[in-house]
Amino acid sequence: MQLRLILQWATIFLFFIVALVMELAPWPVGFQAFKPAWLVLVLTYWVLAIPNKISIGVAFWIGLIWDLVLGSTLGIHALVLSIAFYFIAKNHLILRNLSLWFQSLLIIIFVFLIRFSIFLVELFLHSATFNWQEIFGAIASGILWPWVFLLMRKIRRKVGLH
């Protein structure tokens, strides 16, 4: 029983590590705008799948780690992710019963709002410019959502996370 619990938490931790590495992976200059929000996709899946274990507190810690890795002002991503995932955690029963394609549309809006909110906080703290090509990354995240969702669900069921 104890080994199974360790395996479950190791699976969750490994998903976040892989998402962070994919977030930091370099892309060609011409395709930088199409980079999906891997951490947001993984965090969204876990909040929808097991909201009693992964919720706002984990979003806060992931945001802090993201701030440390990116070298941005400490707390910007933590604040934005905490607020954003509060709404997902609050409405997780409704959101997870939607079709995958409708969830994809919501992911596009959600990722764009997170990126725009990060811009607004950075603009408030110091001068920042918004890159409107961020919408392409949000669209790429929405397109990838069904496959990310199905892959993570298959692994979650294989490990026995409920």
Side-chain angles (χ1 to χ4, degrees), residues 61-132:
W61 284 106
I62 293 295
L64 279 179
I65 291 168
W66 202 2
D67 282 331
L68 289 172
V69 168
L70 292 178
S72 63
T73 305
L74 191 62
I76 291 177
H77 288 88
L79 171 71
V80 171
L81 288 180
S82 297
I83 292 170
F85 280 96
Y86 165 77
F87 293 108
I88 287 189
K90 185 171 173 62
N91 299 308
H92 76 279
L93 290 174
I94 297 169
L95 294 174
R96 74 174 160 190
N97 287 318
L98 299 173
S99 71
L100 277 180
W101 297 110
F102 193 70
Q103 286 179 6
S104 293
L105 292 174
L106 292 177
I107 288 289
I108 292 171
I109 295 167
F110 186 64
V111 169
F112 182 74
L113 287 176
I114 286 176
R115 290 182 175 181
F116 189 72
S117 300
I118 290 169
F119 159 72
L120 288 177
V121 172
E122 286 179 349
L123 181 66
F124 180 72
L125 294 176
H126 49 80
S127 63
T129 58
F130 187 71
N131 184 5
W132 285 101

Side-chain angles (χ1 to χ4, degrees), residues 141-156:
S141 299
I143 291 171
L144 286 174
W145 173 251
W147 290 278
V148 169
F149 178 87
L150 293 173
L151 174 69
M152 291 181 69
R153 183 176 68 177
K154 183 176 183 177
I155 293 172
R156 178 179 62 90

Side-chain angles (χ1 to χ4, degrees), residues 33-82:
F34 296 100
K35 191 173 183 180
W38 295 108
L39 274 173
V40 174
L41 290 175
V42 169
L43 193 55
T44 302
Y45 175 79
W46 288 119
V47 170
L48 289 177
I50 49 173
N52 55 340
K53 294 180 182 174
I54 307 294
S55 192
I56 303 165
V58 174
F60 179 80
W61 284 106
I62 293 295
L64 279 179
I65 291 168
W66 202 2
D67 282 331
L68 289 172
V69 168
L70 292 178
S72 63
T73 305
L74 191 62
I76 291 177
H77 288 88
L79 171 71
V80 171
L81 288 180
S82 297

